[in-house]
Each structure stands twice: as C-alpha cells, then as structure tokens.
Amino acid sequence: MGKHNKRSRKTKRAFPDEAFSNGPFQIARFGKQVVLTSNWTKEEHAQVLAELSARYATVVQEIDDLVRRIVSVVGVLPPDQLLTRAWQEQVMSSWHMQVEADVTQDDSIALRMIDYVQSVIAATPRGEAQKSELSDEDWKDLRIDITALFRKLNCEYLICATAYRKATGTVYDDAMEEFFVRAQMYWCNVRGDYYQVHQVDAIADFLRSQSKLIEAAYGISSDYLVAELNKIWRSLTFGLHEAMTSMFNSYTEVMTEVQRMIEQNEADLGSQSVDEFILAVAERLGHGDTLVRSAGAFGNMDLFDLRKVTNLPVAFLDDFSWAPGQDTDFFANGDFSGWPLRIQPIFRRPFLKLNDTYYCFELYSLFDNFYRQLEKRIFQQSEAEKQEWIQNRKEISENLPVDYFSRLLPGATVLREIYYPVVSESGSTKNLAEADCVIIYDDHLFIIEVKAGAFTYTSPANDLPAYVKSLEALVGAPSKQGQRFLKYLESADEVDIFDAKRQPVGKLRKGDFRCKTICAVTLDPFTELAAQAQHLHKIGVDVGEVPVWSLSLSDLRVYSDIFAGPLDFLHFVEQRMRAAPSDKLQLDDELDHLGLYLEHNNYTMHADDLSNTGARLCFNGYRSAIDAYFSAKLTGADKLALPTQKVPPRLRELIDFLAKQNQFHRSRIASYLLDLAGDWRSDLSKWIDEELAAIPKRGHCLPLSTVGNVRLTVFVNIEGVVELCHEKAAEHAQAAMIATGESDRVLLELAYGPNGPARASMSTVSLQGLSREHLEQLRKAATDLKEKRLARSVANFGKVGRNELCPCGSGKKFKRCCIPNP
C-alpha cells in the first residue's frame, strides 16, 4: 500500500469492452459505462435536421392513424379478456426481471398493454358490433399496433419534433429542449415511484393522520383503507403464485387419498363419476373451497375482482373507477388526442367498472397516483376539509424526513422549526425566517427544507412551463431557503437560533461542522428530474450557488433500508455532494448516485477520468444491486445481503467501532478510511493484521507511511503490550512529511484490546510553530528515513533506475533526488 516497497507503474490506456459505429456515431462500452461520440460536420447536422423537420407532420399523422386503429380494435373486443390476457403476459414477462437493467423493450410494451389499453377502454364508447371472444390474431394485431405507437413516439416523434421546432424558430434553448424531451419520455414510460415492497407502507405513512377526513368521505378509517389496498397489492403480486401453490398442495393431498381408497376398495365409482368422486373426497378433506378459489384465480377474474378481493365501499369504488367510454378528456379535440403524452385515464382512476363489477389490473398506476387523487376528492368536499388535509399533509411531510434521518443517524440532535434573523444587504436583522429542521450528527449538519406541494399533474407535452414552475417551487424555493440559513450560520463564529416567539433556544458554531448539507425534501417522488437538481439552472430554475441535495421521501425510505451504519451513510452524503455540481454526472435517478457510489466510491473522479475524450457519458445498470436487494426482500428471501461497498474486515471493524462511540469527528476518521481506493483499503487492512500479530513478538510498533496522493502515517498500539505516546507518533509523521516534501500529513493512531479496537484518533500534523532546534532534529530524522527507504527498495527490487521515481517518496526522479554523488 505504498510502504515504499512498490515501484511506480505507468498508467495503462483503457480499451473498450465493446465498440460499435454507425455513420457518424460511435458507441463504446467500458464495463457499465457507455460513451457516445459523434463526428458530424455542421453541414451534415443541418441537413439531417432539415430532413427530420420535413418528416414531422408525417410522423404525427402516422401516430394519429395508429391511435385510431387501436381505438377501433379495442372498442369491439371484450375488455375483461383484453386486460386479463395483458396482465397474464405482463406477469410472464416479469418473471426474468429482478433489476431495472433486465427490462427489455418487450417488457415495457407488456406493461403498456395494461395501462394504455385500460385508458383506451375507459375513454372509448363500446362499438355496436361486439366480439364475444378475444382471438390470438386480435391480440397479436393490437400488440403490434401498440408496440409501433410507443416506438414511434419514444424515438422518431421526439427527434422530428425537436428538428421541427428548430426549423420554425419555436425551439427552446438546447438545455430546455433536452429537458423537454426527457420529461416527455419519463411521462410516457416510467412507472413505479416506489419499490414494490414499499408501496403499501408509503401510502400508510401518508394517510395515517388523514383518517378523520377519509372516514367523513367514505365511512372507513385510513387503517381500514390501507388494509384493503394491501389486499389488492397482495392479490396482484402474489395471488397467482399462492393460488398455484394452494391448488398443488390440495390436489396432491386429495389424489393421495383417492389412490388409497381405490387400492383399499373404498371407492364407490358405480354410483358417481370419477370427477364427482374426486370432488367428494376434496370436500371431505376440507379442500373444496380452496380448489374453487384457485380455479377462480386461474380461469376467472377473481384476482382482479375488487368485491372478491376487498370489502371497499361502493362509493369509494365508484369514485376511483371508469366505466368504458366514461372518460371524455383523453380523446377530446386538440393536440395529442389519445396519445400517451396526455393524462391517461388510469392515472386519475386506477379501477375499471365492467357490468357493475370493479376490477384492478395494474398496481403501478394505483400506487403512483392514489394519494394525490384521493387528496383531490377530499378537496372537493369543502374548503374547511381541504385546509385540514393540507395542514395534516404538512405535518406528515415534516415528520417523515426526521423519522428516516433518525433511522440513518441514531442519536442525532434534531431541531425542528427553528427561527433565525434574516441578514439584509444593509446588515440589519429585523425579520425572522424559519428553517423546517436542522439535524446534527457529529460534525455533519443537515439543513432540511420540506415541500409537501404536488408536482404538476399536467403532461409536459401540453404545459412545459408548469413543469418548470413546479421545479422552482419544490426544488428551487427550498434550496434558496436552505442557503439563506447557511448564510446566517456562516455570518459569525457562533449564532443564536430562536423559537417562533423570538426566544433563544440554542447556539450553533460554524467551526463544529466539517460538512453542511442542504436537503430539499419533497413528498412527490419525481426522482428522474430531482436527481439533476444542480443542473436545473440551465432551464431557469435557480437553486443557488451552494450544491443542494434534492430528494424525495421515497428516496429517503430506500436509504434508511440500505445503509448498515451512520458513518457509511455520512460518507455517501459527502460523495453525493461532490457529485452534485459535476457536469459529467447528469443522472436519471437519485438511486443511480447510490449505485455509482457503491461501485466506484469517489464516482465523481471516476466520471472525470472517463470524460477525457469529451464524449457524452451514460451510466447504466448501476442500481442493479439495489434493485436485486429489494426484489429479494419482496419475495421473502431467507438471506438478504445489503448492497454495500467492499470494505475489508479490519476497516469494517474500525468503522463499526467508531459508529458506537460518541467522540467528536469520528465521521472524519471513517470518511478518510472510506475515501481510500480498493487496493489501499485491502493493503491497510492486511497491514493491521500483520502488525497486530508481530507487535507482541517484536516488542515495539513500526509505523506505516504512504506516499503519493494519500499522505498517511499509521501507528497500531496494543493495550498493555505496546503503547506509543502521541508526541512520538507525531514526530515520526512530521519526519515522513519532511522526507516527501509535504506541507502536512494525516496521522492515524489505533489502539486494540482483546475484543478489537479500543481507541482511534486522527490528526493532521504540520511544521507550524516548531522551534528551530526541533525542526533540525526532524530534518535529521527525515534524512535517516529516506536512507532506510532507499536501502529497503534496493534490497527488495534491486538497483534503482535513474529515471524511476525515487523510493524515498519525494515524487522526484531518482537522478534528481537521492542518487549518490559519483
């Protein structure tokens, strides 16, 4: 690990695992990174844009024709058979999927065959000539048309629309145009705001304090409503598997008994058929109802029938169900009539009413939109109930972040609703401003600003300004509020904080906090946009100059499940905030940051290294370990392994030890260790093992000093065996610092007892304030240290080449450093 026994090696050029080119485009894959480049000339680019613009009207007509064909087909096919088959095929397509990266284009279409088809049914009056059966040919033709619709919409339409806007002078600037295209793609294709294992719990958290209002509207409590929603979730998630398992177990037991009775001549087959005999045995064994229910799940629509699955009141089911043709907005005149770019009926009402029976076929649309749709129903009751809901919602949204942070940082200090003076340009501090919450853990300060308002419900295709306005309200405004508090905190060495009555409730010292993080937390999970918060200034959303962490309650829920300890979480936060301003890391999801961190640690540096070519970077598949974990958790896997970084045993032991201590700056020590790259971590862990074994025999400790980018000296002590005082350890670190020509050096002192780590301290040593005599002693020690390093290198590797780096650690070539005079 740089104990001056390794010669430096030249960096090797990285070659792609795969490379592909098509005309002016080149794509290269380096592991999970995909690098896109283009060598178009300006003239070639302009010609292509002109061709695409000319095709725009044709593409729009082709999409309209596809929609009309889909409507004409859906209008005559039996809705129940259509959606049952769609659900069955979607289940079959999802069996291979554990992670998002596994999702193919066909898998996405399988889900569209439920949500888009149900939306078309809800908005399409039934045709006069109805088909009683759904044929394979009907299904195949419909699937081909819907596949063509989404492929054309997701690719050709978006490209041609941008080219058309450029040609007609109505294009947004490049940054806004890219945002516009992304927002439309997310709208059409992204479903699932929560991991499935979190869907019901998330709704339960939001509705817990709204029980009085829900009961007034529907006659059921919030707990009752959540329990019924859980039944729907369970039926569509596990119902088929449970029915198969139940039927198999019952059938096995029944047939075993039938065989026994036949072998022992107890079967009366003269007066009844074989089927009647088997059914009688099933009834006698108590499996009759089980077989009937299982048959209903397979052959009928019992899994989707909300009156069989739940006991929800009819008034509730009516409010959240469409009858065929009942919705009049989706196909209303205007732009994008019937296109997935409009608000789809299933977003507003997740259930379908067929012949006075209510069905649910799709969970994502239910749980993604249910809270806000229920909210709208309550708002329609009365103004008083609307304001009560809003007040309850405010309390929920302010309490839940604290709950999650408290799980992540047990024992943290939480300061809610604190007030502070607003520093004006003239320097006066007459007015008080409010900060929603401040959380303190060791030397980290989190400034939490929460927004419970809804992200716009309109489609970006119809109202992009509404999207930008929502981002300003839910990201921009809290970001500026957090920065206002940070400005106050840094206005003096120590500042007062107050309650709403202007009474002082405490003091904060800016020097106590090594890291200060502003968090803009939202109730609505728009992670595809929030993950790019620091880049929103490009589209006119002012988030201030200080990096801000914008995340949703669903993201916090994931983090509170993932991180094994508080110090690991704090280190991730440090890396996350380093990534915030990076132009190389414009990711599509907050959890992509976590996935990159788990894989590459300092993932900002990793992105910088990859971007030397100037190509556009895409990071795919990094959240797969997280997806796999929650997939395993959903299915109740026996052994759940948290997705974590690779931390060798001795470092893991140290970090877990520090997490249990109350010493100040413990997170600084843990972060320093976790900042180390993988080989440094492994070498340090191995060295600690070796030193702990050698010290009792040797009778004294030998330090480890690194060279290069990591300037570290480590001493290991064993309580009651060898304990070196801090002054001696610091002097050695200072000598090592002089030997390598450094301005400062980190000193890590570890003490171990019989049960593992007993003490850990870290300090930064320098030469400031030392006397001339002391400096002279240290320089002599540094000379001795350099001679020892040179001798060790020669002994291990032989003669040092003139142009090699000097083994003393100075960073100079040997010929310009320690080479002996001729």
Side-chain angles (χ1 to χ4, degrees):
M1 103 152 244
K3 194 182 174 184
H4 308 291
N5 58 357
K6 293 183 181 179
R7 294 277 172 84
S8 62
R9 294 187 292 255
K10 292 183 178 180
T11 301
K12 294 182 180 179
R13 180 185 174 191
F15 291 93
D17 300 308
E18 293 180 280
F20 171 77
S21 63
N22 184 11
F25 297 105
Q26 293 82 42
I27 303 175
R29 182 179 65 83
F30 298 82
K32 294 180 181 177
Q33 292 84 39
V34 179
V35 180
L36 309 177
T37 55
S38 168
N39 58 9
W40 253 337
T41 66
K42 289 184 178 180
E43 292 74 17
E44 290 171 332
H45 187 229
Q47 180 182 349
V48 170
L49 284 178
E51 293 170 356
L52 292 171
S53 175
R55 178 153 169 70
Y56 171 70
T58 302
V59 172
V60 170
Q61 185 61 53
E62 289 172 352
I63 293 177
D64 284 336
D65 291 344
L66 280 168
V67 169
R68 278 192 289 270
R69 192 154 65 239
I70 290 167
V71 169
S72 66
V73 171
V74 170
V76 300
L77 293 175
D80 54 347
Q81 295 180 39
L82 263 177
L83 291 172
T84 300
R85 177 153 184 176
W87 182 85
Q88 290 170 345
E89 291 203 0
Q90 193 274 327
V91 169
M92 291 178 64
S93 76
S94 66
W95 279 352
H96 76 281
M97 291 187 296
Q98 280 193 321
V99 302
E100 187 179 63
D102 291 341
V103 179
T104 66
Q105 196 170 49
D106 283 345
D107 296 329
S108 297
I109 294 300
L111 189 56
R112 301 293 81 81
M113 292 300 292
I114 303 179
D115 57 14
Y116 183 68
V117 168
Q118 183 170 324
S119 291
V120 172
I121 292 170
T124 303
R126 306 306 297 161
E128 293 183 3
Q130 294 286 301
K131 292 188 176 182
S132 59
E133 295 292 332
L134 172 66
S135 69
D136 289 341
E137 195 66 26
D138 289 333
W139 175 259
K140 178 182 176 182
D141 290 344
L142 179 61
R143 200 180 199 285
I144 288 173
D145 283 343
I146 291 178
T147 300
L149 169 64
F150 277 89
R151 285 180 176 170
K152 190 170 289 291
L153 183 60
N154 286 326
C155 185
E156 193 174 8
Y157 166 76
L158 294 175
I159 295 173
C160 290
T162 293
Y164 179 76
R165 285 191 290 271
K166 284 182 177 290
T168 56
T170 57
V171 71
Y172 300 100
D173 59 68
D174 287 345
M176 184 66 83
E177 186 66 26
E178 180 178 347
F179 174 79
F180 186 31
V181 170
R182 282 174 176 263
Q184 291 176 92
M185 291 189 71
Y186 298 150
W187 177 270
C188 289
N189 302 286
V190 176
R191 304 289 184 268
D193 289 336
Y194 308 91
Y195 281 111
Q196 278 187 274
V197 74
H198 289 158
Q199 286 176 324
V200 176
D201 288 342
I203 290 293
D205 285 341
F206 296 155
L207 297 183
R208 189 169 293 117
S209 64
Q210 306 285 14
S211 190
K212 174 186 171 185
L213 297 171
I214 295 170
E215 195 156 0
Y218 296 109
I220 56 176
S221 68
S222 60
D223 286 344
Y224 184 93
L225 174 56
V226 169
E228 298 305 296
L229 292 174
N230 185 59
K231 292 178 183 177
I232 301 173
W233 177 84
R234 186 156 196 92
S235 180
L236 293 186
T237 304
F238 299 115
L240 185 61
H241 173 74
E242 290 175 348
M244 292 174 63
T245 302
S246 179
M247 175 172 276
F248 176 79
N249 292 338
S250 297
Y251 180 78
T252 299
E253 187 175 338
V254 168
M255 294 310 295
T256 299
E257 175 64 8
V258 167
Q259 183 176 1
R260 185 197 66 78
M261 292 178 68
I262 292 174
E263 290 174 351
Q264 297 183 10
N265 296 320
E266 296 179 12
D268 181 13
L269 296 176
S271 60
Q272 57 185 338
S273 67
V274 173
D275 289 343
E276 290 173 333
F277 170 62
I278 293 173
L279 184 60
V281 172
E283 291 287 351
R284 178 168 60 80
L285 295 177
H287 294 307
D289 290 342
T290 300
L291 293 175
V292 170
R293 285 195 302 270
S294 298
F298 288 122
N300 299 321
M301 298 180 65
D302 291 5
L303 292 177
F304 321 111
D305 188 336
L306 296 179
R307 284 185 168 174
K308 292 183 177 179
V309 173
T310 76
N311 294 306
L312 288 166
V314 172
F316 177 89
L317 294 173
D318 273 332
D319 267 2
F320 289 90
S321 299
W322 293 112
Q326 185 180 359
D327 174 74
T328 58
D329 294 334
F330 193 45
F331 288 107
N333 292 332
D335 292 337
F336 314 119
S337 176
W339 290 30
L341 282 173
R342 278 195 176 184
I343 297 175
Q344 296 184 44
I346 197 172
F347 296 171
R348 296 160 60 192
R349 300 187 186 184
F351 307 146
L352 195 64
K353 184 179 180 181
L354 302 173
N355 300 321
D356 293 325
T357 304
Y358 304 90
Y359 298 99
C360 180
F361 296 94
E362 210 268 290
L363 286 177
Y364 293 121
S365 295
L366 169 60
F367 285 100
D368 285 357
N369 304 296
F370 178 75
Y371 176 77
R372 291 300 184 183
Q373 292 306 314
L374 177 60
E375 181 177 82
K376 289 181 179 181
R377 305 304 192 282
I378 301 300
F379 284 2
Q380 294 169 1
Q381 300 296 312
S382 70
E383 183 62 25
E385 287 173 295
K386 175 180 178 179
Q387 295 306 318
E388 185 177 349
W389 180 282
I390 291 173
Q391 180 58 38
N392 293 340
R393 185 185 67 191
K394 180 176 183 293
E395 293 176 3
I396 294 166
S397 60
E398 290 178 354
N399 288 333
L400 283 176
V402 175
D403 293 342
Y404 294 140
F405 271 103
S406 296
R407 286 173 57 183
L408 287 160
L409 304 170
T413 299
V414 177
L415 305 173
R416 300 173 186 255
E417 294 185 9
I418 63 172
Y419 292 80
Y420 58 96
V422 177
V423 181
S424 65
E425 293 183 2
S426 63
S428 63
T429 57
K430 293 183 179 180
N431 298 322
L432 289 182
E434 180 189 3
D436 288 339
C437 182
V438 169
I439 296 176
I440 300 168
Y441 188 92
D442 192 27
D443 52 8
H444 277 251
L445 176 77
F446 292 91
I447 304 165
I448 312 294
E449 291 292 342
V450 182
K451 290 298 177 183
F455 191 76
T456 181
Y457 196 66
T458 58
S459 165
N462 296 114
D463 196 352
L464 183 63
Y467 259 59
V468 177
K469 186 176 179 181
S470 278
L471 289 170
E472 180 62 49
L474 300 182
V475 179
S479 298
K480 287 182 280 189
Q481 290 168 351
Q483 293 184 57
R484 184 176 60 194
F485 178 81
L486 183 61
K487 181 180 178 181
Y488 172 67
L489 175 66
E490 295 182 339
S491 65
D493 291 338
E494 185 176 77
V495 297
D496 294 309
I497 53 176
F498 304 86
D499 61 18
K501 298 180 180 179
R502 289 182 174 266
Q503 297 301 309
V505 292
K507 296 179 182 291
L508 295 174
R509 290 187 296 273
K510 67 178 181 181
D512 288 346
F513 306 113
R514 181 174 57 89
C515 297
K516 297 177 280 289
T517 305
I518 301 170
C519 296
V521 182
T522 62
L523 189 151
D524 280 359
F526 52 101
T527 56
E528 299 84 9
L529 304 177
Q532 304 176 39
Q534 214 59 37
H535 307 290
L536 294 178
H537 65 88
K538 298 175 183 177
I539 62 169
V541 177
D542 181 12
V543 294
E545 297 179 357
V546 179
V548 173
W549 191 16
S550 175
L551 71 168
S552 69
L553 287 173
S554 67
D555 298 323
L556 273 176
R557 180 185 285 275
V558 170
Y559 290 142
S560 67
D561 278 359
I562 287 291
F563 283 97
L567 302 184
D568 299 83
F569 172 67
L570 292 178
H571 183 252
F572 164 69
V573 173
E574 292 178 35
Q575 295 293 344
R576 175 66 180 86
M577 299 316 296
R578 289 175 190 169
S582 172
D583 287 332
K584 313 299 188 305
L585 286 165
Q586 298 188 38
L587 305 178
D588 288 336
D589 194 298
E590 172 61 31
L591 296 185
D592 288 334
H593 284 277
L594 176 57
L596 275 164
Y597 166 75
L598 294 176
E599 181 94 5
H600 296 293
N601 197 31
N602 189 340
Y603 61 100
T604 307
M605 183 184 298
H606 176 71
D608 289 341
D609 291 342
L610 287 174
S611 65
N612 291 334
T613 61
R616 180 71 177 268
L617 301 179
C618 298
F619 296 92
N620 299 311
Y622 274 99
R623 53 177 289 183
S624 293
I626 306 164
D627 293 344
Y629 170 76
F630 284 109
S631 177
K633 191 172 184 178
L634 175 69
T635 57
D638 294 333
K639 294 182 180 180
L640 282 176
L642 285 172
T644 61
Q645 288 192 354
K646 294 179 181 178
V647 181
R650 284 297 180 188
L651 268 63
R652 180 76 268 159
E653 180 185 50
L654 268 174
I655 293 165
D656 292 344
F657 165 76
L658 287 166
K660 298 174 184 177
Q661 309 306 304
N662 291 320
Q663 70 185 75
F664 194 48
H665 287 311
R666 58 193 180 277
S667 73
R668 176 174 176 254
I669 304 174
S671 288
Y672 187 91
L673 295 173
L674 290 170
D675 275 343
L676 298 175
D679 55 343
W680 289 86
R681 293 179 179 184
S682 299
D683 287 350
L684 178 56
S685 179
K686 181 180 177 182
W687 178 81
I688 292 173
D689 271 331
E690 293 171 350
E691 190 67 4
L692 287 173
I695 284 176
K697 301 174 185 177
R698 190 195 305 132
H700 62 277
C701 57
L702 290 177
L704 171 68
S705 289
T706 67
V707 296
N709 294 330
V710 178
R711 305 195 302 262
L712 172 67
T713 293
V714 188
F715 278 91
V716 169
N717 299 282
I718 299 179
E719 290 184 330
V721 179
V722 172
E723 297 186 63
L724 186 70
C725 68
H726 170 71
E727 290 73 21
K728 292 293 184 182
E731 285 183 354
H732 181 88
Q734 288 167 328
M737 183 183 71
I738 294 173
T740 54
E742 300 162 351
S743 58
D744 56 43
R745 173 166 277 265
V746 173
L747 171 62
L748 178 63
E749 298 172 84
L750 307 175
Y752 285 80
N755 299 317
R759 295 191 311 277
S761 65
M762 190 168 74
S763 56
T764 301
V765 299
S766 68
L767 303 179
Q768 292 182 359
L770 298 183
S771 67
R772 183 179 300 176
E773 294 177 359
H774 196 176
L775 282 172
E776 190 58 39
Q777 292 174 356
L778 290 175
R779 289 191 182 99
K780 184 178 182 302
T783 300
D784 293 341
L785 183 59
K786 292 172 71 172
E787 291 175 352
K788 290 178 182 178
R789 289 175 175 174
L790 176 58
R792 184 166 59 240
S793 180
V794 171
N796 291 336
F797 300 103
K799 184 178 178 180
V800 183
R802 289 174 55 83
N803 290 315
E804 290 188 75
L805 289 178
C806 186
C808 77
S810 66
K812 300 177 183 179
K813 289 185 177 181
F814 183 53
K815 66 183 180 182
R816 301 186 184 280
C817 189
C818 293
I819 190 169
N821 292 324

